[in-house]
Amino acid sequence: MIETSPAPLNPDRRSFVFGAAAIVATAIGTGAQARSASSARVTTAQGASSFGPVRQVDAGVLNIGYVEMGPATGMPILLFHGWPYDIHAFAEVAPLLAARGYRVIVPHLRGHGTTLFRSEATPRNAQQAALAADGIALMDALAIRKAVVAGFDWGARTADIMAVLWPERCVALVSVSGYLIGSQAANAKPLPPAAELQWWYQFYFATERGKDGYAANTNAFNKQIWQLASPKWAFDDATFARSAASFANPDHVTIVIHNYRWRLGLADGERQYDAIEARLAAAPPVTIPAITMEGDANGAPHPQPEQYRAKFAGPYAHRLITGGVGHNLPQEAPAAFAQAVLDAARLAA
């Protein structure tokens, strides 16, 4: 049952209690029918997450790694990370939500952590529709009919797309930086110089030099992105290293490069997603209850709230999180993010 009147969360990070993770998994694939979680083949991944063991499950074209916390009977919440981050962005958010009785699921996206492609023949595709389809497939696999979806960066775009294409599957949405659904046609339009400058890494990745450079200097590159995107976040080396382990995924470089090249029309997607991308190119509105968020020190490219307000047609609120909060809002302000998820669920009650 959705909680209708959550009390404000304690913003003191020292008070967070990390619960034990309950893991359920099963096989999924594009268009696959939902199967009982009891039929899952579950294995424990090498290298446990700091907030619970990461389990592996054959999932359509992927073998997905994810953490699950909270009671199996609770309202499901799916939390999607971005690039260059991983599931640890929600290491403090997840136990807060689980403690409120929610079933919290945090998957590694394609090309991150222990999520692997099952076949060498499968295209290493990172177009926006493919990542959103992974989210729906995961819900089918876990026999989840409806869930709250939330995320930031790539994860916000994934949650946005799930909300507009499959509103019957999504209870409510929390999206950092708002409406992030795009299209190759829209991305072909030039931006003002200052905005183009913020996308420097996208143009770098469009070159073979950029691909080779990212492969040779993945951790250094991503640490620089963390610093630029969250200029006031004083993360330590251990915090970065915990997430950097996820960049060792054998498909990480290929997935990242494809994502940014696809956006500019420099790489093809898969034909099976053509119809979906055509729908997304029309910028359909979000009709389910939604809360958008922004940090007051977000150094990454992001739209202003007034630019996307009209895209949210259902119950809606926007929150500016102050205090030097940057792009990785869930990890920098976990209490505020968790509270938004609780409140979004309340909007849907």
mmCIF file of all heavy atoms in Angstrom, residues 30-31 110 125 127-137 157-158 160-166 168 179 181-184 262 269-284:
data_model
loop_
_atom_site.group_PDB
_atom_site.id
_atom_site.type_symbol
_atom_site.label_atom_id
_atom_site.label_comp_id
_atom_site.label_asym_id
_atom_site.label_seq_id
_atom_site.Cartn_x
_atom_site.Cartn_y
_atom_site.Cartn_z
ATOM 1 N N THR A 30 13.011 -8.828 -24.172
ATOM 2 C CA THR A 30 12.100 -7.919 -24.837
ATOM 3 C C THR A 30 10.839 -8.671 -25.218
ATOM 4 O O THR A 30 10.866 -9.665 -25.932
ATOM 5 C CB THR A 30 12.761 -7.336 -26.095
ATOM 6 O OG1 THR A 30 13.949 -6.669 -25.707
ATOM 7 C CG2 THR A 30 11.824 -6.376 -26.798
ATOM 8 N N GLY A 31 9.704 -8.197 -24.725
ATOM 9 C CA GLY A 31 8.432 -8.823 -25.019
ATOM 10 C C GLY A 31 8.185 -10.090 -24.247
ATOM 11 O O GLY A 31 7.217 -10.814 -24.502
ATOM 12 N N ARG A 110 22.856 -1.040 -18.344
ATOM 13 C CA ARG A 110 23.723 -1.669 -19.351
ATOM 14 C C ARG A 110 25.123 -1.057 -19.294
ATOM 15 O O ARG A 110 25.282 0.150 -19.190
ATOM 16 C CB ARG A 110 23.175 -1.416 -20.755
ATOM 17 C CG ARG A 110 21.869 -2.078 -21.076
ATOM 18 C CD ARG A 110 21.407 -1.732 -22.477
ATOM 19 N NE ARG A 110 20.233 -2.517 -22.837
ATOM 20 C CZ ARG A 110 19.954 -2.938 -24.068
ATOM 21 N NH1 ARG A 110 20.758 -2.621 -25.074
ATOM 22 N NH2 ARG A 110 18.880 -3.657 -24.297
ATOM 23 N N ASN A 125 23.936 -1.573 -27.714
ATOM 24 C CA ASN A 125 23.073 -0.435 -28.006
ATOM 25 C C ASN A 125 22.731 0.306 -26.721
ATOM 26 O O ASN A 125 22.288 -0.307 -25.752
ATOM 27 C CB ASN A 125 21.795 -0.953 -28.674
ATOM 28 C CG ASN A 125 20.779 0.129 -28.943
ATOM 29 O OD1 ASN A 125 21.089 1.324 -28.891
ATOM 30 N ND2 ASN A 125 19.559 -0.264 -29.232
ATOM 31 N N GLN A 127 20.818 3.405 -26.922
ATOM 32 C CA GLN A 127 19.827 4.432 -27.211
ATOM 33 C C GLN A 127 18.802 4.472 -26.089
ATOM 34 O O GLN A 127 18.599 3.496 -25.356
ATOM 35 C CB GLN A 127 19.148 4.174 -28.554
ATOM 36 C CG GLN A 127 18.215 2.973 -28.587
ATOM 37 C CD GLN A 127 17.657 2.711 -29.982
ATOM 38 O OE1 GLN A 127 18.072 1.744 -30.623
ATOM 39 N NE2 GLN A 127 16.731 3.551 -30.450
ATOM 40 N N GLN A 128 18.133 5.603 -25.934
ATOM 41 C CA GLN A 128 17.256 5.822 -24.790
ATOM 42 C C GLN A 128 16.134 4.787 -24.691
ATOM 43 O O GLN A 128 15.776 4.355 -23.586
ATOM 44 C CB GLN A 128 16.671 7.229 -24.841
ATOM 45 C CG GLN A 128 15.863 7.540 -26.085
ATOM 46 C CD GLN A 128 15.336 8.967 -26.115
ATOM 47 O OE1 GLN A 128 15.519 9.754 -25.178
ATOM 48 N NE2 GLN A 128 14.673 9.315 -27.205
ATOM 49 N N ALA A 129 15.587 4.352 -25.807
ATOM 50 C CA ALA A 129 14.487 3.391 -25.784
ATOM 51 C C ALA A 129 14.932 2.045 -25.231
ATOM 52 O O ALA A 129 14.163 1.358 -24.541
ATOM 53 C CB ALA A 129 13.907 3.220 -27.183
ATOM 54 N N ALA A 130 16.164 1.647 -25.522
ATOM 55 C CA ALA A 130 16.655 0.352 -25.058
ATOM 56 C C ALA A 130 16.772 0.325 -23.542
ATOM 57 O O ALA A 130 16.405 -0.661 -22.891
ATOM 58 C CB ALA A 130 18.007 0.044 -25.700
ATOM 59 N N LEU A 131 17.273 1.406 -22.950
ATOM 60 C CA LEU A 131 17.412 1.446 -21.496
ATOM 61 C C LEU A 131 16.049 1.442 -20.819
ATOM 62 O O LEU A 131 15.862 0.793 -19.769
ATOM 63 C CB LEU A 131 18.218 2.671 -21.075
ATOM 64 C CG LEU A 131 19.736 2.482 -21.016
ATOM 65 C CD1 LEU A 131 20.309 2.280 -22.418
ATOM 66 C CD2 LEU A 131 20.429 3.667 -20.344
ATOM 67 N N ALA A 132 15.068 2.148 -21.389
ATOM 68 C CA ALA A 132 13.733 2.158 -20.810
ATOM 69 C C ALA A 132 13.077 0.783 -20.925
ATOM 70 O O ALA A 132 12.396 0.329 -19.996
ATOM 71 C CB ALA A 132 12.875 3.209 -21.485
ATOM 72 N N ALA A 133 13.299 0.111 -22.055
ATOM 73 C CA ALA A 133 12.759 -1.232 -22.231
ATOM 74 C C ALA A 133 13.340 -2.193 -21.206
ATOM 75 O O ALA A 133 12.657 -3.111 -20.736
ATOM 76 C CB ALA A 133 13.021 -1.726 -23.647
ATOM 77 N N ASP A 134 14.605 -1.991 -20.839
ATOM 78 C CA ASP A 134 15.204 -2.818 -19.788
ATOM 79 C C ASP A 134 14.436 -2.668 -18.479
ATOM 80 O O ASP A 134 14.249 -3.646 -17.741
ATOM 81 C CB ASP A 134 16.663 -2.408 -19.552
ATOM 82 C CG ASP A 134 17.587 -2.783 -20.700
ATOM 83 O OD1 ASP A 134 17.197 -3.619 -21.545
ATOM 84 O OD2 ASP A 134 18.700 -2.227 -20.753
ATOM 85 N N GLY A 135 14.017 -1.436 -18.168
ATOM 86 C CA GLY A 135 13.278 -1.204 -16.931
ATOM 87 C C GLY A 135 11.956 -1.939 -16.906
ATOM 88 O O GLY A 135 11.590 -2.559 -15.896
ATOM 89 N N ILE A 136 11.217 -1.885 -18.015
ATOM 90 C CA ILE A 136 9.931 -2.579 -18.084
ATOM 91 C C ILE A 136 10.136 -4.088 -18.040
ATOM 92 O O ILE A 136 9.394 -4.823 -17.379
ATOM 93 C CB ILE A 136 9.177 -2.167 -19.353
ATOM 94 C CG1 ILE A 136 8.730 -0.707 -19.249
ATOM 95 C CG2 ILE A 136 7.978 -3.070 -19.596
ATOM 96 C CD1 ILE A 136 7.725 -0.430 -18.144
ATOM 97 N N ALA A 137 11.156 -4.571 -18.726
ATOM 98 C CA ALA A 137 11.442 -6.003 -18.719
ATOM 99 C C ALA A 137 11.770 -6.494 -17.317
ATOM 100 O O ALA A 137 11.376 -7.592 -16.912
ATOM 101 C CB ALA A 137 12.581 -6.317 -19.680
ATOM 102 N N ARG A 157 16.147 9.983 -17.467
ATOM 103 C CA ARG A 157 15.602 9.816 -18.822
ATOM 104 C C ARG A 157 14.897 8.460 -18.932
ATOM 105 O O ARG A 157 13.803 8.365 -19.520
ATOM 106 C CB ARG A 157 16.717 9.926 -19.854
ATOM 107 C CG ARG A 157 16.247 9.777 -21.291
ATOM 108 C CD ARG A 157 17.374 10.034 -22.282
ATOM 109 N NE ARG A 157 17.870 11.397 -22.149
ATOM 110 C CZ ARG A 157 19.027 11.718 -21.580
ATOM 111 N NH1 ARG A 157 19.803 10.767 -21.085
ATOM 112 N NH2 ARG A 157 19.404 12.971 -21.500
ATOM 113 N N THR A 158 15.494 7.422 -18.382
ATOM 114 C CA THR A 158 14.876 6.100 -18.398
ATOM 115 C C THR A 158 13.524 6.118 -17.700
ATOM 116 O O THR A 158 12.526 5.600 -18.220
ATOM 117 C CB THR A 158 15.813 5.088 -17.720
ATOM 118 O OG1 THR A 158 17.013 4.967 -18.492
ATOM 119 C CG2 THR A 158 15.162 3.714 -17.608
ATOM 120 N N ASP A 160 11.629 8.757 -17.094
ATOM 121 C CA ASP A 160 10.727 9.617 -17.864
ATOM 122 C C ASP A 160 10.061 8.832 -18.996
ATOM 123 O O ASP A 160 8.848 8.924 -19.221
ATOM 124 C CB ASP A 160 11.490 10.792 -18.480
ATOM 125 C CG ASP A 160 11.897 11.844 -17.468
ATOM 126 O OD1 ASP A 160 11.401 11.822 -16.333
ATOM 127 O OD2 ASP A 160 12.734 12.703 -17.827
ATOM 128 N N ILE A 161 10.868 8.077 -19.720
ATOM 129 C CA ILE A 161 10.333 7.326 -20.857
ATOM 130 C C ILE A 161 9.377 6.234 -20.397
ATOM 131 O O ILE A 161 8.319 6.021 -21.004
ATOM 132 C CB ILE A 161 11.485 6.726 -21.693
ATOM 133 C CG1 ILE A 161 12.310 7.849 -22.335
ATOM 134 C CG2 ILE A 161 10.951 5.781 -22.763
ATOM 135 C CD1 ILE A 161 13.570 7.388 -23.014
ATOM 136 N N MET A 162 9.725 5.544 -19.331
ATOM 137 C CA MET A 162 8.808 4.543 -18.789
ATOM 138 C C MET A 162 7.469 5.182 -18.430
ATOM 139 O O MET A 162 6.401 4.620 -18.680
ATOM 140 C CB MET A 162 9.432 3.868 -17.569
ATOM 141 C CG MET A 162 10.632 2.992 -17.897
ATOM 142 S SD MET A 162 11.515 2.391 -16.421
ATOM 143 C CE MET A 162 10.274 1.287 -15.713
ATOM 144 N N ALA A 163 7.515 6.385 -17.858
ATOM 145 C CA ALA A 163 6.296 7.061 -17.422
ATOM 146 C C ALA A 163 5.413 7.474 -18.593
ATOM 147 O O ALA A 163 4.180 7.400 -18.498
ATOM 148 C CB ALA A 163 6.653 8.285 -16.579
ATOM 149 N N VAL A 164 6.017 7.909 -19.706
ATOM 150 C CA VAL A 164 5.193 8.379 -20.826
ATOM 151 C C VAL A 164 4.729 7.243 -21.732
ATOM 152 O O VAL A 164 3.634 7.316 -22.300
ATOM 153 C CB VAL A 164 5.914 9.464 -21.658
ATOM 154 C CG1 VAL A 164 6.273 10.661 -20.795
ATOM 155 C CG2 VAL A 164 7.138 8.921 -22.363
ATOM 156 N N LEU A 165 5.535 6.194 -21.852
ATOM 157 C CA LEU A 165 5.163 5.100 -22.741
ATOM 158 C C LEU A 165 4.341 4.020 -22.047
ATOM 159 O O LEU A 165 3.510 3.364 -22.682
ATOM 160 C CB LEU A 165 6.405 4.465 -23.362
ATOM 161 C CG LEU A 165 7.213 5.333 -24.321
ATOM 162 C CD1 LEU A 165 8.373 4.529 -24.889
ATOM 163 C CD2 LEU A 165 6.341 5.874 -25.448
ATOM 164 N N TRP A 166 4.582 3.838 -20.775
ATOM 165 C CA TRP A 166 3.878 2.800 -20.024
ATOM 166 C C TRP A 166 3.299 3.375 -18.730
ATOM 167 O O TRP A 166 3.633 2.928 -17.627
ATOM 168 C CB TRP A 166 4.827 1.647 -19.710
ATOM 169 C CG TRP A 166 5.370 0.963 -20.919
ATOM 170 C CD1 TRP A 166 4.743 0.037 -21.694
ATOM 171 C CD2 TRP A 166 6.684 1.122 -21.487
ATOM 172 N NE1 TRP A 166 5.561 -0.380 -22.719
ATOM 173 C CE2 TRP A 166 6.756 0.267 -22.626
ATOM 174 C CE3 TRP A 166 7.791 1.909 -21.170
ATOM 175 C CZ2 TRP A 166 7.904 0.183 -23.420
ATOM 176 C CZ3 TRP A 166 8.920 1.827 -21.966
ATOM 177 C CH2 TRP A 166 8.974 0.966 -23.070
ATOM 178 N N GLU A 168 0.552 2.987 -17.351
ATOM 179 C CA GLU A 168 -0.202 2.002 -16.576
ATOM 180 C C GLU A 168 0.702 1.164 -15.689
ATOM 181 O O GLU A 168 0.226 0.498 -14.759
ATOM 182 C CB GLU A 168 -0.998 1.100 -17.525
ATOM 183 C CG GLU A 168 -0.184 0.092 -18.316
ATOM 184 C CD GLU A 168 0.540 0.681 -19.528
ATOM 185 O OE1 GLU A 168 0.414 1.906 -19.767
ATOM 186 O OE2 GLU A 168 1.234 -0.093 -20.230
ATOM 187 N N TYR A 179 12.302 16.838 -17.426
ATOM 188 C CA TYR A 179 11.939 16.106 -18.646
ATOM 189 C C TYR A 179 13.166 16.010 -19.538
ATOM 190 O O TYR A 179 13.609 16.993 -20.125
ATOM 191 C CB TYR A 179 10.810 16.849 -19.357
ATOM 192 C CG TYR A 179 10.159 16.091 -20.495
ATOM 193 C CD1 TYR A 179 9.039 15.301 -20.277
ATOM 194 C CD2 TYR A 179 10.647 16.194 -21.795
ATOM 195 C CE1 TYR A 179 8.415 14.634 -21.323
ATOM 196 C CE2 TYR A 179 10.038 15.524 -22.845
ATOM 197 C CZ TYR A 179 8.921 14.741 -22.602
ATOM 198 O OH TYR A 179 8.302 14.065 -23.643
ATOM 199 N N ILE A 181 13.617 13.528 -22.055
ATOM 200 C CA ILE A 181 13.400 12.760 -23.279
ATOM 201 C C ILE A 181 13.816 13.607 -24.485
ATOM 202 O O ILE A 181 13.434 14.770 -24.600
ATOM 203 C CB ILE A 181 11.932 12.339 -23.410
ATOM 204 C CG1 ILE A 181 11.538 11.458 -22.218
ATOM 205 C CG2 ILE A 181 11.695 11.595 -24.721
ATOM 206 C CD1 ILE A 181 10.055 11.165 -22.148
ATOM 207 N N GLY A 182 14.614 13.005 -25.361
ATOM 208 C CA GLY A 182 15.097 13.736 -26.522
ATOM 209 C C GLY A 182 14.877 12.971 -27.808
ATOM 210 O O GLY A 182 14.193 11.946 -27.844
ATOM 211 N N SER A 183 15.473 13.469 -28.863
ATOM 212 C CA SER A 183 15.413 12.805 -30.161
ATOM 213 C C SER A 183 16.645 13.215 -30.954
ATOM 214 O O SER A 183 17.271 14.248 -30.688
ATOM 215 C CB SER A 183 14.152 13.210 -30.927
ATOM 216 O OG SER A 183 14.227 14.560 -31.367
ATOM 217 N N GLN A 184 16.989 12.406 -31.941
ATOM 218 C CA GLN A 184 18.130 12.742 -32.780
ATOM 219 C C GLN A 184 17.883 14.032 -33.555
ATOM 220 O O GLN A 184 18.797 14.842 -33.733
ATOM 221 C CB GLN A 184 18.427 11.584 -33.735
ATOM 222 C CG GLN A 184 18.977 10.352 -33.030
ATOM 223 C CD GLN A 184 19.212 9.194 -33.986
ATOM 224 O OE1 GLN A 184 18.448 8.988 -34.923
ATOM 225 N NE2 GLN A 184 20.260 8.437 -33.739
ATOM 226 N N TRP A 262 24.767 8.095 -30.593
ATOM 227 C CA TRP A 262 23.382 7.929 -31.057
ATOM 228 C C TRP A 262 22.613 9.236 -30.923
ATOM 229 O O TRP A 262 21.846 9.607 -31.817
ATOM 230 C CB TRP A 262 22.682 6.824 -30.259
ATOM 231 C CG TRP A 262 21.257 6.650 -30.698
ATOM 232 C CD1 TRP A 262 20.798 5.847 -31.706
ATOM 233 C CD2 TRP A 262 20.113 7.332 -30.182
ATOM 234 N NE1 TRP A 262 19.437 5.994 -31.848
ATOM 235 C CE2 TRP A 262 18.985 6.898 -30.931
ATOM 236 C CE3 TRP A 262 19.913 8.270 -29.170
ATOM 237 C CZ2 TRP A 262 17.690 7.368 -30.678
ATOM 238 C CZ3 TRP A 262 18.626 8.740 -28.923
ATOM 239 C CH2 TRP A 262 17.532 8.298 -29.665
ATOM 240 N N GLY A 269 20.627 3.013 -33.988
ATOM 241 C CA GLY A 269 20.010 2.208 -32.947
ATOM 242 C C GLY A 269 19.555 0.894 -33.551
ATOM 243 O O GLY A 269 19.984 0.513 -34.647
ATOM 244 N N GLU A 270 18.686 0.205 -32.834
ATOM 245 C CA GLU A 270 18.118 -1.045 -33.351
ATOM 246 C C GLU A 270 16.736 -0.751 -33.926
ATOM 247 O O GLU A 270 15.951 -0.010 -33.344
ATOM 248 C CB GLU A 270 18.022 -2.080 -32.238
ATOM 249 C CG GLU A 270 19.365 -2.557 -31.722
ATOM 250 C CD GLU A 270 19.226 -3.553 -30.588
ATOM 251 O OE1 GLU A 270 19.044 -4.751 -30.879
ATOM 252 O OE2 GLU A 270 19.265 -3.127 -29.412
ATOM 253 N N ARG A 271 16.443 -1.419 -35.045
ATOM 254 C CA ARG A 271 15.176 -1.161 -35.742
ATOM 255 C C ARG A 271 13.966 -1.481 -34.866
ATOM 256 O O ARG A 271 12.905 -0.864 -35.033
ATOM 257 C CB ARG A 271 15.115 -1.987 -37.031
ATOM 258 C CG ARG A 271 16.227 -1.688 -38.036
ATOM 259 C CD ARG A 271 16.005 -0.355 -38.746
ATOM 260 N NE ARG A 271 16.292 0.804 -37.922
ATOM 261 C CZ ARG A 271 17.503 1.296 -37.708
ATOM 262 N NH1 ARG A 271 18.562 0.712 -38.232
ATOM 263 N NH2 ARG A 271 17.677 2.374 -36.968
ATOM 264 N N GLN A 272 14.110 -2.395 -33.937
ATOM 265 C CA GLN A 272 12.975 -2.755 -33.089
ATOM 266 C C GLN A 272 12.501 -1.591 -32.234
ATOM 267 O O GLN A 272 11.383 -1.609 -31.723
ATOM 268 C CB GLN A 272 13.350 -3.925 -32.184
ATOM 269 C CG GLN A 272 14.476 -3.624 -31.199
ATOM 270 C CD GLN A 272 14.789 -4.809 -30.311
ATOM 271 O OE1 GLN A 272 13.910 -5.373 -29.667
ATOM 272 N NE2 GLN A 272 16.059 -5.218 -30.293
ATOM 273 N N TYR A 273 13.328 -0.560 -32.089
ATOM 274 C CA TYR A 273 12.950 0.602 -31.286
ATOM 275 C C TYR A 273 12.526 1.800 -32.133
ATOM 276 O O TYR A 273 12.259 2.874 -31.587
ATOM 277 C CB TYR A 273 14.117 1.001 -30.379
ATOM 278 C CG TYR A 273 14.505 -0.056 -29.389
ATOM 279 C CD1 TYR A 273 15.773 -0.642 -29.422
ATOM 280 C CD2 TYR A 273 13.605 -0.496 -28.412
ATOM 281 C CE1 TYR A 273 16.131 -1.622 -28.501
ATOM 282 C CE2 TYR A 273 13.954 -1.479 -27.506
ATOM 283 C CZ TYR A 273 15.216 -2.037 -27.560
ATOM 284 O OH TYR A 273 15.569 -3.002 -26.658
ATOM 285 N N ASP A 274 12.437 1.645 -33.453
ATOM 286 C CA ASP A 274 12.109 2.776 -34.312
ATOM 287 C C ASP A 274 10.759 3.396 -33.966
ATOM 288 O O ASP A 274 10.616 4.624 -33.911
ATOM 289 C CB ASP A 274 12.117 2.354 -35.781
ATOM 290 C CG ASP A 274 13.528 2.199 -36.345
ATOM 291 O OD1 ASP A 274 14.505 2.526 -35.622
ATOM 292 O OD2 ASP A 274 13.655 1.730 -37.495
ATOM 293 N N ALA A 275 9.761 2.554 -33.749
ATOM 294 C CA ALA A 275 8.421 3.073 -33.455
ATOM 295 C C ALA A 275 8.409 3.809 -32.120
ATOM 296 O O ALA A 275 7.762 4.862 -31.981
ATOM 297 C CB ALA A 275 7.403 1.938 -33.451
ATOM 298 N N ILE A 276 9.129 3.273 -31.148
ATOM 299 C CA ILE A 276 9.202 3.929 -29.844
ATOM 300 C C ILE A 276 9.894 5.274 -29.962
ATOM 301 O O ILE A 276 9.437 6.285 -29.414
ATOM 302 C CB ILE A 276 9.929 3.031 -28.832
ATOM 303 C CG1 ILE A 276 9.058 1.831 -28.465
ATOM 304 C CG2 ILE A 276 10.298 3.818 -27.567
ATOM 305 C CD1 ILE A 276 9.717 0.872 -27.484
ATOM 306 N N GLU A 277 11.003 5.313 -30.688
ATOM 307 C CA GLU A 277 11.729 6.573 -30.831
ATOM 308 C C GLU A 277 10.890 7.613 -31.567
ATOM 309 O O GLU A 277 10.975 8.815 -31.266
ATOM 310 C CB GLU A 277 13.058 6.353 -31.551
ATOM 311 C CG GLU A 277 14.084 5.522 -30.773
ATOM 312 C CD GLU A 277 14.590 6.197 -29.512
ATOM 313 O OE1 GLU A 277 14.248 7.365 -29.264
ATOM 314 O OE2 GLU A 277 15.344 5.541 -28.767
ATOM 315 N N ALA A 278 10.081 7.167 -32.507
ATOM 316 C CA ALA A 278 9.205 8.104 -33.206
ATOM 317 C C ALA A 278 8.195 8.721 -32.249
ATOM 318 O O ALA A 278 7.900 9.923 -32.322
ATOM 319 C CB ALA A 278 8.478 7.390 -34.353
ATOM 320 N N ARG A 279 7.674 7.925 -31.331
ATOM 321 C CA ARG A 279 6.747 8.458 -30.323
ATOM 322 C C ARG A 279 7.464 9.423 -29.388
ATOM 323 O O ARG A 279 6.939 10.480 -29.040
ATOM 324 C CB ARG A 279 6.118 7.313 -29.531
ATOM 325 C CG ARG A 279 5.160 6.446 -30.324
ATOM 326 C CD ARG A 279 4.641 5.303 -29.481
ATOM 327 N NE ARG A 279 3.881 5.786 -28.321
ATOM 328 C CZ ARG A 279 3.444 4.989 -27.336
ATOM 329 N NH1 ARG A 279 3.710 3.694 -27.362
ATOM 330 N NH2 ARG A 279 2.757 5.502 -26.334
ATOM 331 N N LEU A 280 8.664 9.078 -28.991
ATOM 332 C CA LEU A 280 9.411 9.928 -28.069
ATOM 333 C C LEU A 280 9.812 11.241 -28.730
ATOM 334 O O LEU A 280 9.892 12.278 -28.055
ATOM 335 C CB LEU A 280 10.650 9.194 -27.561
ATOM 336 C CG LEU A 280 10.391 7.935 -26.724
ATOM 337 C CD1 LEU A 280 11.705 7.254 -26.369
ATOM 338 C CD2 LEU A 280 9.602 8.267 -25.464
ATOM 339 N N ALA A 281 10.053 11.222 -30.027
ATOM 340 C CA ALA A 281 10.443 12.427 -30.739
ATOM 341 C C ALA A 281 9.348 13.489 -30.708
ATOM 342 O O ALA A 281 9.626 14.687 -30.856
ATOM 343 C CB ALA A 281 10.807 12.094 -32.177
ATOM 344 N N ALA A 282 8.109 13.051 -30.477
ATOM 345 C CA ALA A 282 6.992 13.991 -30.378
ATOM 346 C C ALA A 282 6.888 14.617 -28.993
ATOM 347 O O ALA A 282 5.992 15.429 -28.748
ATOM 348 C CB ALA A 282 5.688 13.280 -30.727
ATOM 349 N N ALA A 283 7.799 14.254 -28.093
ATOM 350 C CA ALA A 283 7.853 14.797 -26.731
ATOM 351 C C ALA A 283 6.513 14.660 -26.009
ATOM 352 O O ALA A 283 5.908 15.653 -25.588
ATOM 353 C CB ALA A 283 8.297 16.247 -26.743
ATOM 354 N N PRO A 284 6.026 13.422 -25.823
ATOM 355 C CA PRO A 284 4.742 13.227 -25.153
ATOM 356 C C PRO A 284 4.812 13.665 -23.691
ATOM 357 O O PRO A 284 5.869 13.577 -23.052
ATOM 358 C CB PRO A 284 4.515 11.720 -25.267
ATOM 359 C CG PRO A 284 5.883 11.134 -25.398
ATOM 360 C CD PRO A 284 6.667 12.148 -26.190
#
